[in-house]
Amino acid sequence: MSSTAKIRPYDETLLRRAFDAARRAREGGDHPFGSVLGDADGNLLMEQGNGYSSEGGDRTAHAERLLASRAARSFSLEQLAKFTLYTSAEPCAMCAGAIYWAGIGRVVYGQTEKDLKAQTGDHEENPTLDLPCDLVFAAGQRPTEIVGPLLADEAAQLQADFWASKH
């Protein structure tokens, strides 16, 4: 877990809401990833599942990127700096960049990219980058607090049989 991590009382609840979004994405034919946006008081503001299939095979339609883009259009930088993006898996480099550029100040994730890569294998629909999000955020000029992995075993269950069935 990040050395700057401070777990809030509602973090696990909102992270599980991201897991629910991942399950709904899978049920809808998309990859099993989900994200939600919460405010500083733990209120749920937005939900987003992966959009690979629903966005016409868009390989960049990760739940975190889609949510960060929606959030950037809906809230001010001042508000976003106090918000948390909860996500079922650690944001990849692309998603971490989108979160950073949107101005979201905090990220809580379930499964690490390293563990996800071990589960997905070398799959053309998910060529996982084993690049920890803290390295991407550390390269930026504004701080991003990171909490994770949190509830990692539950997060890994979202992926458990999905990728094996795609080979």
Side-chain angles (χ1 to χ4, degrees), residues 51-85:
Y52 174 78
S53 296
S54 59
E55 298 283 331
D58 181 354
R59 291 177 299 281
T60 70
H62 295 188
E64 303 93 332
R65 188 197 59 77
L66 293 171
L67 186 66
S69 294
R70 286 177 50 213
R73 291 188 301 268
S74 301
F75 299 101
S76 70
L77 276 174
E78 183 179 318
Q79 289 172 303
L80 289 166
K82 298 173 187 170
F83 291 172
T84 302
L85 186 144

Side-chain angles (χ1 to χ4, degrees), residues 4-49:
T4 63
K6 295 176 187 154
I7 296 176
R8 298 175 183 170
Y10 47 81
D11 282 345
E12 289 187 1
T13 299
L14 286 175
L15 184 55
R16 285 188 173 112
R17 291 291 298 265
F19 296 171
D20 291 341
R23 285 184 197 93
R24 285 192 301 278
R26 181 177 180 166
E27 289 164 5
D30 274 304
H31 297 163
F33 298 97
S35 296
V36 302
L37 186 68
D39 69 14
D41 297 319
N43 297 305
L44 180 66
L45 303 171
M46 292 181 169
E47 295 182 319
Q48 181 68 55

Side-chain angles (χ1 to χ4, degrees), residues 89-111:
E90 181 177 6
C92 71
M94 174 186 69
C95 292
I99 292 163
Y100 172 80
W101 282 105
I104 299 168
R106 187 169 180 264
V107 172
V108 175
Y109 67 86
Q111 184 178 28

